[in-house]
Amino acid sequence: FFFAVAMDDKYDAIVLGTGLTECVLSGLLSVSGLKVLHVDRNSYYGGECASLNMEQLFEKFGKGAPDPSLGKTHLWNVDLCPKLLMANGILVKILRNTVAARYNMEFMLIEGSFVLRDGKIHKVPVTEKEALSSGLMGMFEKRRAAKFLSWVQDYEPSDPKTHKVPSGNSMWGGSEGVNLMSVPMRDVFKQFGLEPGTVNFLGHAAALQHNDDYLDQPAHATLLKLKLYAESVNMYGSSPYVYPMYGLGDIPQAFARLCAVYGGTYMLHKPVDKILWEDGKFAGIQSGDEVARAPLVVGDPSYFMLEPGKLKKAAQVVRAICLLDHPIPNLPDGAKSAQIIIPQSELKRRSDMYVICTSFVHKVCPDGWYIALVSTTVETGDPESELLPGLRLLGSIREKFVQVSDVYEPAGSGAGDKAYISKGMDASTHFEGCGEDILDLYRRIMGKEYDVNVPCASE
């Protein structure tokens, strides 16, 4: 890495914070030829997605020294905001074409993707074959779901012939099919005669929608999410999710290396005392007596908290990191890693609840140990109690660390003030929203789309 002693200089872009979004963008911008300065007030990489050893975790949550029975502290890599990667998702495609092979990054499959229905854990069916064998549906509903999933897998936005609902689902017909850019998803489910329970698990556990707002939005986006889920499952045969060996901490660092290889300058443990503006546009940053200038800035919301009109609060999230000495009970086949989605209708809430579990097989904890996370969007004045339905699924918990975080989003696009601010991490346990934010920020900064299918050139 190239770490500067002093930062006085002019750059093409300044990046504030070493969270995942910021590190990916600093790497992509450097590869695109920009001279980048990357600054973080912390002495470690990762921001919200940092990985901590056991001593660091206990210190962060003010819990004193860890019990010796937890094993050696360096064998723990506990992600503060663990999220899974879709095997064919945006972030995996970026990783594959930039840093994965270059830095020998290894990933392991998460064993199962599940949904809670009527208090019981079920595997999420997303293929015609899985639908026909699922315990989530009765015999006739299985056939309707299988027909729907087969239609979804054939759907191609550019081919109107794939937009036609099969015969027997009357209302829509004609050789031109239906305009899925305008027809709401609710109507698509209705045309296939799917029951509310089926709609619920498909929308929340397969399309990964956070709440039911999507039902009244154009169907196209949800169909693409369902296709992505099925494609990701088909890549490895049992689950759509992968997770990096040794935790998420290596991903920001890999992109930091990429940025440095292409001439980027890194400064950790460097406070930003002031953000400089000229005529309403970003001009630079000041740290002590040093000033660095650039025509644009990329940063996480925490660096803009004191800047009027730059942020808006989107939500509040509560997360419980739990250390277990056993796998999650009642998972099919005794899975050692999993995602479980508890749809909002199951809980009589507006937002879904998420449970994920990684384990010693991912090299994030000592042998025989498991790390579980329960998270949701806060809806009451007692956030921790909202997690109880998810916590009950875990069985006995050796240690629990609870954190409530405000989630901020940029108030503007950055077009006027040249401040391109990332979105905070939501309650979901996958990176698709983060990947979409990265591509959107890149497009706004560079004025063109980033092609996730084109490998970056060798340095």
Side-chain angles (χ1 to χ4, degrees):
F1 287 32
F2 176 48
F3 293 98
V5 176
M7 71 176 192
D8 291 281
D9 204 348
K10 291 184 178 180
Y11 301 87
D12 297 320
I14 294 174
V15 180
L16 304 179
T18 55
L20 181 69
T21 300
E22 290 70 39
C23 283
V24 173
L25 281 168
S26 73
L28 298 184
L29 294 179
S30 289
V31 170
S32 298
L34 273 63
K35 180 182 178 183
V36 175
L37 170 66
H38 201 154
V39 175
D40 196 314
R41 65 172 75 91
N42 297 312
S43 59
Y44 55 84
Y45 287 93
E48 285 186 282
C49 293
S51 296
L52 305 182
N53 64 35
M54 191 52 58
E55 289 182 356
Q56 292 170 327
L57 183 67
F58 270 70
E59 180 182 352
K60 177 176 176 61
F61 286 89
K63 299 188 71 168
D67 190 291
S69 66
L70 295 172
K72 295 179 179 179
T73 186
H74 72 276
L75 295 178
W76 291 89
N77 292 296
V78 182
D79 295 319
L80 294 178
C81 184
K83 289 177 180 279
L84 309 177
L85 291 83
M86 296 285 280
N88 200 39
I90 294 169
L91 189 54
V92 166
K93 288 179 178 178
I94 295 175
L95 284 163
R96 188 182 299 132
N97 290 322
T98 52
V99 298
R102 187 186 302 248
Y103 300 119
N104 298 317
M105 299 183 69
E106 295 181 79
F107 296 83
M108 178 167 275
L109 192 68
I110 294 295
E111 290 182 46
S113 176
F114 305 98
V115 62
L116 193 72
R117 170 93 168 265
D118 298 328
K120 187 177 179 182
I121 298 172
H122 298 266
K123 188 180 188 302
V124 179
V126 288
T127 65
E128 186 175 359
K129 182 179 178 181
E130 287 181 339
L132 291 171
S133 61
S134 174
L136 282 165
M137 301 167 285
M139 181 176 64
F140 294 111
E141 182 68 358
K142 286 179 180 180
R143 293 175 180 173
R144 288 188 290 267
K147 195 171 188 179
F148 169 74
L149 290 169
S150 176
W151 177 74
V152 168
Q153 290 192 39
D154 290 337
Y155 172 64
E156 292 294 339
S158 60
D159 185 359
K161 288 185 290 187
T162 68
H163 304 180
K164 290 179 61 179
V165 175
S167 60
N169 303 84
S170 56
M171 198 166 154
W172 299 335
S175 59
E176 75 286 352
V178 63
N179 184 2
L180 295 167
M181 294 289 189
S182 60
V183 170
M185 192 66 207
R186 187 187 303 276
D187 288 357
V188 175
F189 284 136
K190 183 178 179 181
Q191 291 307 310
F192 279 88
L194 297 179
E195 296 173 355
T198 305
V199 169
N200 200 32
F201 76 73
L202 286 174
H204 292 266
L208 303 175
Q209 300 285 9
H210 298 225
N211 53 50
D212 279 346
D213 292 350
Y214 81 96
L215 288 170
D216 297 309
Q217 296 168 356
H220 169 76
T222 297
L223 294 177
L224 290 183
K225 289 176 182 290
L226 288 168
K227 277 179 67 71
L228 170 62
Y229 190 101
E231 289 165 357
S232 295
V233 169
N234 289 336
M235 287 187 75
Y236 299 108
S238 60
S239 165
Y241 299 113
V242 295
Y243 199 73
M245 299 290 281
Y246 304 100
L248 296 173
D250 280 351
I251 298 180
Q253 291 193 55
F255 281 99
R257 294 187 193 102
L258 182 68
C259 178
V261 163
Y262 282 85
T265 301
Y266 271 82
M267 302 188 77
L268 293 180
H269 210 200
K270 190 74 171 178
V272 177
D273 298 322
K274 189 176 182 180
I275 296 179
L276 307 177
W277 308 92
E278 293 178 0
D279 300 324
K281 294 184 178 181
F282 175 78
I285 59 171
Q286 182 173 342
S287 178
D289 295 329
E290 297 176 286
V291 172
R293 295 186 174 275
L296 67 91
V297 64
V298 179
D300 76 57
S302 70
Y303 285 87
F304 299 88
M305 299 297 289
L306 300 180
E307 305 297 322
K310 301 301 180 188
L311 300 175
K312 58 183 180 181
K313 185 176 176 180
Q316 194 174 54
V317 172
V318 57
R319 297 182 177 92
I321 298 169
C322 303
L323 310 184
L324 314 177
D325 55 11
H326 57 83
I328 294 179
N330 303 315
L331 287 182
D333 303 319
K336 293 181 174 63
S337 59
Q339 172 169 259
I340 307 169
I341 291 180
I342 311 177
Q344 42 91 27
S345 60
E346 181 82 9
L347 302 169
K348 305 298 188 287
R349 291 169 46 87
R350 174 166 170 73
S351 304
D352 293 348
M353 188 171 298
Y354 304 88
V355 179
I356 63 171
C357 182
T358 55
S359 70
F360 60 94
V361 299
H362 301 94
K363 305 296 184 184
V364 294
C365 52
D367 286 350
W369 286 90
Y370 301 77
I371 302 173
L373 174 92
V374 182
S375 61
T376 193
T377 301
V378 174
E379 297 182 5
T380 73
D382 187 5
E384 186 171 353
S385 69
E386 295 184 49
L387 296 177
L388 287 175
L391 293 171
R392 291 191 190 106
L393 297 178
L394 304 183
S396 61
I397 298 170
R398 284 289 302 272
E399 294 285 351
K400 182 174 65 175
F401 307 85
V402 179
Q403 186 170 23
V404 179
S405 306
D406 292 331
V407 180
Y408 289 93
E409 295 182 351
S413 68
D417 59 12
K418 301 303 176 183
Y420 299 95
I421 304 170
S422 63
K423 296 179 179 179
M425 292 293 178
D426 61 23
S428 70
T429 47
H430 58 84
F431 273 121
E432 283 309 292
C434 180
E436 291 168 2
D437 193 29
I438 289 168
L439 294 185
D440 183 48
L441 284 163
Y442 183 91
R443 177 185 54 77
R444 284 186 272 140
I445 294 166
M446 299 299 292
K448 62 181 181 180
E449 301 291 338
Y450 177 78
D451 191 340
V452 297
N453 297 309
V454 177
C456 72
S458 299
E459 67 272 12

